[in-house]
Amino acid sequence: MAAGKGTRMKSRLPKVLHRLAGRALVQHVVDAARALQARKAVVITGHGATEVEAALAMNTGAAAEFGLNFALDFVRQEPQLGTGHAVQQAVPALADDGIVVVLSGDVPLTRVETLQALVAACGGTTLALLTIDFADPTGYGRIVRTDAAQGAVQAIVEHKDASEVQRAIREVYSGIMAVPAQQLKGWLARLDNHNVQGEYYLTDVVKLAVSDGVPVVAHKISDPVQVAGVNSPVQLAELERAYQRQGALVLMEQGVRLADPARLDVRGALSCAQDVSIDVNCIFEGRVELGEGVQIGANCVIANARIAAGAVIHPFTHIDGEKAGVTVGEGALVGPFARLRPGAVLGAQVHIGNFVEVKNSTLAAGAKANHLAYLGDATVGERVNFGAGSITANYDGSNKHRTVIEADVHVGSNCVLVAPVTLGAGGTVGGGSTITKSTEPGALSVARGKQSSLANWSRPAKIPKA
């Protein structure tokens, strides 16, 4: 269910598209359905329907590239007349022989194993509810049983309709259920809106199941994070920290050394080999692989990259591979304050220093660009030294061109290499040169204006004000 407006978010963005750990809230829910190996997911949209459907369709298409596709249907709930009315809109898309798992698009962190247990409790013949005990159950539907302890479930009573006795019940309905599709369709057809809200409550299917003699069971969990919904920026931030804390604990259990687990953000998939260390305030996005002994300095942002064993990423480095990816070779040193962009491939023992940017370029083993440089659309050979302030001028205003720097070339400081150009192996480019033609191997190339000096020259004097 993803039709709600989310007024308390105070945002023009539909609530279910607000992001947690780099993904939309509703994307977490759809991904859980995919991991559950559901036949398909039916997304009920309403407020911001066009935006929600477009976002999910795009991400589902991206997942298909990795063999993760499954059917995704959309139905509209317009107007929004309650949770029961919402699920009524999905009836035509539900196969009679299936089990329907009802999920909320703003409850992003329900574990797949929890849903598997709920489906098992349903078994195709039983209405299974996911429940939890809350010290303060205000606002939640109460689980009413035949007795106060472990009796059979008789009904769910919404908070606004509950008596004082019922409001004292601590066991609440999470909003998640598993139910045989054929029975659900019949119960949905019998719903009415005779309640304080004047809405069609999905929770009323419980009393209908009881009246039909269908068993109703509760699968109770103890982890509130799994059933926590997002209704405000405060709740979103709280869930973000809970998610990140869980991920940090998993990493540390695998042997990763985190300087402070409270100051780590993983917004994608991070895999770490043995003896990886990560300093504070680092962000990982997309797919990132860290090899054995990799060290990540403080305040780094790394996305879609493979960093090989022994590499050191110094503080304040920004790596973003986007679709092309970034590869950092064994023992490479990167940063501080370096930027690696899509298509950057660094070989073993490469050095990329402070304020150096690399894009769509390959640097072979031992190459160095230690200060204030730009390498774009370049092929750099082994042991090249690329001087401070030097750049490859790869764009002519319409097209990109490639620069080839062969092995053992030394490029002096403040040089401009105007592509397309090739610097022959072992050559040297004098500082301050603008190179527009390819050079021979072993040659010294200098292209700069002749220096002139005027003896005893004085700067202009400042004219006094009248």
Side-chain angles (χ1 to χ4, degrees):
M1 295 185 291
K5 185 175 183 180
T7 304
R8 280 187 283 164
M9 294 300 292
K10 294 181 171 58
S11 172
R12 291 185 177 88
L13 186 70
K15 178 173 70 170
V16 296
L17 292 186
H18 284 265
R19 291 183 171 269
L20 185 148
R23 285 182 289 164
L25 297 173
V26 70
Q27 188 65 55
H28 284 270
V29 181
V30 170
D31 289 346
R34 180 185 291 115
L36 195 58
Q37 299 184 328
R39 190 182 307 175
K40 67 176 176 181
V42 181
V43 182
I44 305 161
T45 61
H47 179 74
T50 301
E51 293 175 78
V52 174
E53 292 167 9
L56 284 175
M58 178 179 66
N59 287 332
T60 299
E65 298 177 12
F66 299 96
L68 299 175
N69 197 24
F70 76 134
L72 188 65
D73 289 348
F74 297 102
V75 297
R76 297 277 180 95
Q77 184 195 17
E78 295 173 339
Q80 284 83 59
L81 303 176
T83 54
H85 178 255
V87 180
Q88 285 173 345
Q89 313 314 305
V91 165
L94 303 177
D96 287 344
D97 63 341
I99 293 175
V100 177
V101 180
V102 179
L103 303 170
S104 296
D106 61 356
V107 180
L109 299 184
T110 312
R111 294 182 178 276
V112 174
E113 52 266 34
T114 298
L115 297 178
Q116 290 170 335
L118 187 69
V119 171
C122 170
T125 60
T126 299
L127 171 55
L129 309 173
L130 187 65
T131 69
I132 188 169
D133 286 340
F134 280 154
D136 180 7
T138 302
Y140 288 88
R142 307 305 202 275
I143 299 296
V144 178
R145 297 177 179 268
T146 53
D147 61 53
Q150 298 298 319
V153 176
Q154 294 297 296
I156 301 173
V157 180
E158 296 293 341
H159 180 85
K160 291 183 179 180
D161 299 298
S163 66
E164 288 303 315
V165 172
Q166 290 169 335
R167 289 186 180 186
I169 297 171
R170 294 178 57 200
E171 185 181 12
V172 302
Y173 172 55
S174 68
I176 298 172
M177 66 169 62
V179 53
Q182 192 166 22
Q183 282 93 332
L184 176 63
K185 290 181 179 182
W187 297 329
L188 290 171
R190 293 157 57 188
L191 293 180
D192 61 53
N193 63 345
H194 302 153
N195 51 63
V196 173
Q197 293 283 88
E199 294 183 347
Y200 295 90
Y201 293 156
L202 180 61
T203 49
D204 283 347
V205 302
V206 174
K207 63 184 180 184
L208 294 174
V210 171
S211 69
D212 289 350
V214 176
V216 181
V217 298
H219 176 66
K220 187 187 290 188
I221 62 173
S222 59
D223 179 9
V225 170
Q226 294 195 55
V227 298
V230 173
N231 292 299
S232 70
V234 171
Q235 291 174 331
L236 179 60
E238 289 171 348
L239 274 194
E240 179 75 41
R241 292 318 332 144
Y243 176 91
Q244 296 299 344
R245 176 66 181 177
Q246 288 177 351
L249 290 175
V250 170
L251 288 171
M252 290 187 292
E253 288 168 357
Q254 295 170 351
V256 178
R257 260 73 85 197
L258 301 179
D260 184 350
R263 289 189 282 173
L264 171 76
D265 284 86
V266 178
R267 302 171 184 171
L270 172 63
S271 63
C272 300
Q274 191 171 0
D275 291 321
V276 166
S277 65
I278 301 173
D279 211 331
V280 299
N281 300 328
C282 291
I283 299 173
F284 297 90
E285 299 178 334
R287 295 172 179 267
V288 178
E289 298 178 21
L290 305 181
E292 184 173 343
V294 166
Q295 300 175 47
I296 307 295
N299 303 294
C300 291
V301 179
I302 302 176
N304 300 303
R306 299 180 63 186
I307 301 176
V312 177
I313 311 299
H314 289 293
F316 294 97
T317 292
H318 188 180
I319 300 174
D320 188 0
E322 298 180 3
K323 288 186 177 181
V326 164
T327 301
V328 177
E330 291 189 9
L333 304 179
V334 181
F337 297 99
R339 185 182 183 198
L340 304 183
R341 294 173 60 195
V345 179
L346 311 185
Q349 307 299 322
V350 166
H351 291 188
I352 298 296
N354 49 286
F355 303 105
V356 175
E357 178 179 346
V358 181
K359 172 189 171 291
N360 194 31
S361 297
T362 301
L363 282 74
K368 297 179 181 180
N370 279 325
H371 318 280
L372 303 159
Y374 172 69
L375 283 159
D377 298 290
T379 301
V380 180
E382 295 179 346
R383 298 173 299 279
V384 165
N385 191 319
F386 198 75
S390 294
I391 68 167
T392 58
N394 55 328
Y395 184 52
D396 64 9
S398 297
N399 301 294
K400 296 288 184 71
H401 302 280
R402 198 154 193 88
T403 298
V404 177
I405 306 174
E406 295 181 348
D408 299 304
V409 166
H410 181 100
V411 178
S413 297
N414 202 34
C415 293
V416 179
L417 309 182
V418 183
V421 68
T422 297
L423 306 185
T428 300
V429 177
S433 294
T434 298
I435 302 297
T436 60
K437 297 179 181 179
S438 295
T439 66
E440 296 297 320
L444 168 64
S445 301
V446 181
R448 59 185 179 222
K450 183 178 180 181
Q451 180 175 317
S452 62
S453 300
L454 300 178
N456 302 316
W457 181 81
S458 298
R459 296 187 187 92
K462 195 169 187 177
I463 299 173
K465 293 183 179 180

